[in-house]
């Protein structure tokens, strides 16, 4: 057992707000917001939009899913800060629980043990109200973890195309699944295998080559539309 009793180290981005933790009815629809979207409204309108979204979430965590390099961690941190939610990255929480880097968990314990620990950690994080969880790239692909996320959170797939992802993940060599003879082919194969599963998320947005703040604004707009029932039907 490499994940001893674990207290998630949720990092507060702003002081906590006094929200309820009641669960609003879950929607099963995927709202696909893959078209171009501009940041809309003035500062006052955006504040109203943010407050309405927090109210619609009713304490449920936002869970970002998608491939390595999609921007779950970096965009997620900005988004949490904007919404006044606590931010937690499941990869960081796993490393804290295991006392090891993810690369070392893969190397010494193997992927299956990593996935089992990831499920346990995400299960705990989902019970923290008013939280934004950036998951690791494979978390939503694991059936058990996926069911937990569907039951306990509102999931957002940050979708990006191959070339954008490859250019981003090439900047660092800390992703064990890409340490292969042909990382391009590996990433392509993972995209083919995973995209139909990520599409099960509640909401989809596309990370284009735009600043992270724009992606964060897209997510707020897409979530607001989804939770208020005004998003596109698929
Ligand atoms: N919209 C964006 N514009 C420019 N750079 C970005 C954008 N989104 C992410 N990046 C960059 O891409 C890299 C990967 O992003 P990040 O670590 O957030 O991805 P991730 O989805 O959390 O990946 P992983 O699943 O491996 O944890 C980082 O260097 C980040 O700064
Ligand atoms: O895509 C994946 O399966 C992974 C992504 C990273 O976030 C880490 O969770 C780990 O490297 C596995
Ligand atoms: Mg990440």
């Amino acid at each position: 057992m490499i994940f001893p009793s674990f207290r998630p180290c949720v990092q507060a981005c702003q002081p906590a707000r006094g929200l309820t933790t009641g669960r609003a009815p879950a929607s099963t629809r995927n709202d696909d917001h893959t078209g171009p979207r501009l940041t809309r409204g003035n500062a006052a309108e955006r504040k109203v939009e943010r407050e309405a979204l927090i109210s619609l979430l009713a304490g449920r965590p936002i869970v970002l899913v998608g491939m390595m390099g999609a921007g779950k961690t970096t965009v997620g941190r900005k988004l949490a800060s904007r919404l006044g939610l606590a931010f937690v990255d499941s990869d960081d929480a796993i490393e804290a629980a295991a006392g090891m880097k993810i690369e070392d968990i893969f190397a010494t314990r193997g992927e299956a043990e990593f996935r089992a620990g990831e499920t346990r950690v995400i299960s705990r994080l989902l019970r923290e109200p008013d939280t934004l969880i950036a998951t690791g790239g494979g978390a939503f692909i694991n059936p058990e973890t996926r069911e937990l996320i569907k039951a306990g959170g509102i999931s957002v797939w940050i979708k990006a195309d191959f070339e954008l992802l490859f250019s981003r993940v090439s900047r660092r060599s800390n992703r064990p699944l890409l340490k292969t003879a042909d990382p391009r082919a590996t990433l392509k194969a993972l995209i083919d295998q995973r995209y139909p599963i990520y599409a099960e998320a509640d909401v989809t947005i596309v990370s284009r080559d735009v600043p992270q703040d724009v992606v964060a604004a897209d997510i707020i707009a897409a979530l607001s539309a989804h939770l208020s029932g005004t998003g596109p039907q698929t």
Side-chain angles (χ1 to χ4, degrees), residues 12 18 26 29 36 42 76-77 85 87 117 127-128 140 162 167 171 173 188 209 216 218 224-225:
R29 193 183 66 242
N42 60 29
R77 192 171 275 120
L85 298 174
F87 174 77
R127 283 183 238 133
E128 295 284 324
F140 198 67
F162 169 80
S167 72
R171 290 179 207 156
S173 61
K188 275 203 176 101
D209 202 5
D218 283 356
S224 300

Side-chain angles (χ1 to χ4, degrees), residues 116-209:
E118 183 174 55
T119 303
R120 286 197 292 277
V121 164
I122 289 178
S123 168
R124 294 274 190 129
L125 299 179
L126 285 165
R127 283 183 238 133
E128 295 284 324
D130 302 324
T131 300
L132 186 147
I133 304 169
T135 61
F140 198 67
I141 305 306
N142 180 285
E144 199 183 336
T145 309
R146 186 162 68 253
E147 287 314 311
L148 288 169
I149 293 171
K150 285 183 177 183
I154 301 293
S155 51
V156 179
W157 174 22
I158 305 183
K159 186 176 181 182
D161 70 26
F162 169 80
E163 290 299 342
L164 191 59
L165 291 174
F166 193 74
S167 72
R168 289 181 187 164
V169 297
S170 301
R171 290 179 207 156
R172 289 180 71 191
S173 61
N174 61 338
R175 289 166 170 103
L177 291 183
L178 295 181
K179 287 186 178 166
T180 64
D182 186 351
R184 281 184 75 88
T186 305
L187 186 66
K188 275 203 176 101
L190 283 172
I191 285 175
D192 288 347
Q193 176 205 331
R194 291 178 170 186
Y195 274 25
I197 300 174
Y198 292 137
E200 294 179 29
D202 294 311
V203 168
T204 300
I205 68 106
V206 168
S207 173
R208 296 149 285 130
D209 202 5

Side-chain angles (χ1 to χ4, degrees), residues 67-74 91 137 168 171 175 210 212 215:
M67 281 296 290
M68 297 171 252
K72 302 178 297 293
T73 301
T74 50
D91 283 341
R168 289 181 187 164
R171 290 179 207 156
R175 289 166 170 103
V210 294
Q212 294 170 6
V215 182

Side-chain angles (χ1 to χ4, degrees), residues 27 35 38 103 105 130 151 203:
S27 167
L38 298 173
E103 294 161 89
I105 301 172
D130 302 324
V203 168

